[in-house]
């Protein structure tokens, strides 16, 4: 194959890997919390609603969990009737309280509603409430909620919390607050508002998988095995399940720091390296090179455990 052919094949395989979606270990817990606040809201017509904090490190699977829930409720029939059961709003960086309303109206407009996004902050929030009712939104998701605040301003965090609290008091629909939290910061900031805390159900936390926790190791191993089996089934890498052998899972867990998204990104880079080398099977050198390029050189990892660990990947005859 020519270099152009290999690049095309690598891109095709990357797209196939991007399409692989496995259930996150915390999916059931999160979906149960979403259903709980929806069922509660149905019994509180016009009265105060609840919120669900969904917090975890970057690439831990928050958006995937939200999207899978939205796919269940946002059926073709519902959307054809101009209903949006789950409205997923991804907030822009440095968004203000006014920007919060504008981002929400923009998300609504993507479903075919003609929505003006200009006006005062008060007018925009009135418009948000109107269209949430019109579209019969049952769950409003604010994703990337850590963008609502900056790391210096607790006053702003409190103010944002007040805005969200007011949306809950107005009683249109329950809200999911999804975002990144590192060392207690980020997405937790709006919840420093004590009154907002009282309107929240227990936080669904997507923490990193720990190398020192046997239960975490088992859960991580199940996810890894499922992902690798799907890689083999789709013909992406002929020997992918062999990465479950020996020290390889422990090395992958170390490189990814226990974050599932980082694990998937490492494997995607492994496949790119493998493909560029004109192969359909993974070699140990692919793991070394992918880890070096994606994690060590970028500062995401301090060491490359595949350099010192035994080679557990064997070529398929």
């Amino acid at each position: 194959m020519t270099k152009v052919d290999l690049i095309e094949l690598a891109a095709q395989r990357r797209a196939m890997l991007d399409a692989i979606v496995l259930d996150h270990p915390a999916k059931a817990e999160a979906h149960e919390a979403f259903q709980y606040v929806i069922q509660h809201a149905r019994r509180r017509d016009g009265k105060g609603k609840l919120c669900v904090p969904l917090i975890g490190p970057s690439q831990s699977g928050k958006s995937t969990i939200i999207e899978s829930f939205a796919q269940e409720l946002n059926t073709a029939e519902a959307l054809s009737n101009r209903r949006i059961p789950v409205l997923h709003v991804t907030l822009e960086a440095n968004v203000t309280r006014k920007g919060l309303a504008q981002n929400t109206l923009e998300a609504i407009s993507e479903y075919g509603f003609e929505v003006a996004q200009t006006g005062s902050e008060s007018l925009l929030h009135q418009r948000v409430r109107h269209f949430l009712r019109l579209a019969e939104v049952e769950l409003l998701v604010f994703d990337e909620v850590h963008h609502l605040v900056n790391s210096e301003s607790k006053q702003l965090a409190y103010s944002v919390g007040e805005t969200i609290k007011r949306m809950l008091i107005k009683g249109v629909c329950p809200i999911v607050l999804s975002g990144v939290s590192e060392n207690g910061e980020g997405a937790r900031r709006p919840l420093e508002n004590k009154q907002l805390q009282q309107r929240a159900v227990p936080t669904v936390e997507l923490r990193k998988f720990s190398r020192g926790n046997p239960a975490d190791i088992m859960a991580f191993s199940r996810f890894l095995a499922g992902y690798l089996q799907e890689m083999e089934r789709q013909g992406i890498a002929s020997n992918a399940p062999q990465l479950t052998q020996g020290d390889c899972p422990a090395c992958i867990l170390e490189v990814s720091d226990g974050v599932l998204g980082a694990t998937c990104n490492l494997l995607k880079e492994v496949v790119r390296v493998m493909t560029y080398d004109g192969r359909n099977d993974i070699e140990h050198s692919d793991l070394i090179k992918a880890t070096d390029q994606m994690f060590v050189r970028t500062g995401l990892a301090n060491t490359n455990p595949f350099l010192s660990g035994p080679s557990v990947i064997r070529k398929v005859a």
Side-chain angles (χ1 to χ4, degrees):
M1 299 179 71
T2 68
K3 185 64 175 179
V4 172
D5 292 333
L6 292 175
I7 292 173
E8 182 178 347
L9 179 59
Q12 177 186 343
R13 286 172 170 172
R14 172 60 188 256
M16 294 169 68
L17 288 165
D18 289 340
I20 296 176
V21 178
L22 301 181
D23 283 351
H24 191 286
K27 174 185 173 181
E29 178 188 359
H31 283 201
E32 286 174 8
F34 299 164
Q35 282 288 4
Y36 174 75
V37 297
I38 289 175
Q39 292 300 327
H40 169 269
R42 289 174 179 173
R43 292 157 176 79
R44 295 275 296 175
D45 185 33
K47 298 180 181 179
K49 303 301 190 291
L50 299 172
C51 72
V52 181
L54 177 64
I55 294 174
S58 179
Q59 297 188 334
S60 58
K62 299 179 295 298
S63 294
T64 301
I65 286 174
I66 293 166
E67 289 166 2
S68 64
F69 186 77
Q71 287 175 358
E72 292 179 8
L73 271 68
N74 291 356
T75 62
E77 180 182 2
L79 297 178
S80 66
N81 291 326
R82 294 180 66 78
R83 292 180 53 242
I84 314 173
V86 180
L87 180 64
H88 189 174
V89 181
T90 301
L91 301 177
E92 296 177 352
N94 303 314
V95 69
T96 62
R97 290 177 302 177
K98 184 175 182 178
L100 172 68
Q102 290 173 321
N103 284 176
T104 305
L105 293 170
E106 180 181 1
I108 293 172
S109 70
E110 291 175 357
Y111 288 89
F113 289 86
E114 294 185 8
V115 184
Q117 299 174 35
T118 58
S120 66
E121 180 181 318
S122 176
L123 178 60
L124 288 170
H125 279 283
Q126 289 178 29
R127 199 172 291 151
V128 165
R129 290 192 294 271
H130 168 73
F131 278 99
L132 290 177
R133 292 189 181 97
L134 184 63
E136 299 182 41
V137 175
E138 294 197 89
L139 187 68
L140 172 61
V141 179
F142 286 139
D143 205 355
E144 307 290 335
V145 74
H146 49 280
H147 287 161
L148 289 168
V149 296
N150 61 54
S151 60
E152 304 297 329
S153 177
K154 287 192 175 182
Q155 182 178 1
L156 179 58
Y158 183 85
S159 176
V160 168
E162 282 291 302
T163 301
I164 297 171
K165 183 191 76 173
R166 180 175 172 79
M167 294 180 73
L168 293 169
I169 290 174
K170 288 292 184 179
V172 178
C173 62
I175 298 173
V176 173
L177 302 176
S178 174
V180 173
S181 179
E182 299 288 351
N183 302 318
E185 296 296 327
R188 297 184 191 276
R189 276 289 184 86
L191 292 174
E192 292 179 0
N193 185 308
K194 299 297 183 183
Q195 295 182 49
L196 180 58
Q197 287 182 17
Q198 296 303 312
R199 295 182 179 276
V201 300
T203 298
V204 178
E205 188 155 3
L206 278 59
R207 55 186 180 80
K208 298 177 180 179
F209 291 88
S210 171
R211 285 176 283 164
N213 185 322
D216 279 5
I217 294 173
M218 288 184 63
F220 179 83
S221 297
R222 284 195 296 269
F223 178 88
L224 178 63
Y227 196 88
L228 294 171
Q229 287 168 7
E230 190 63 17
M231 286 173 60
E232 180 189 45
R233 188 188 72 81
Q234 295 193 29
I236 297 171
S238 59
N239 65 337
Q242 291 189 34
L243 271 68
T244 60
Q245 298 177 10
D247 293 337
C248 195
C251 291
I252 293 174
L253 179 60
E254 179 180 345
V255 172
S256 66
D257 196 24
V259 177
L260 296 185
T263 298
C264 296
N265 286 339
L266 171 62
L267 295 173
K268 291 171 185 178
E269 179 62 11
V270 167
V271 168
R272 188 189 70 82
V273 172
M274 172 197 80
T275 305
Y276 275 23
D277 201 37
R279 290 178 282 103
N280 299 318
D281 56 312
I282 299 170
E283 295 185 352
H284 190 69
S285 59
D286 301 329
L287 291 160
I288 294 173
K289 188 172 182 179
T291 299
D292 185 52
Q293 293 179 161
M294 286 284 294
F295 292 87
V296 177
R297 294 182 188 178
T298 59
L300 295 175
N302 295 323
T303 59
N304 190 335
F306 293 105
L307 284 171
S308 55
S311 177
V312 297
I313 310 303
R314 298 179 178 84
K315 293 190 67 173
V316 177

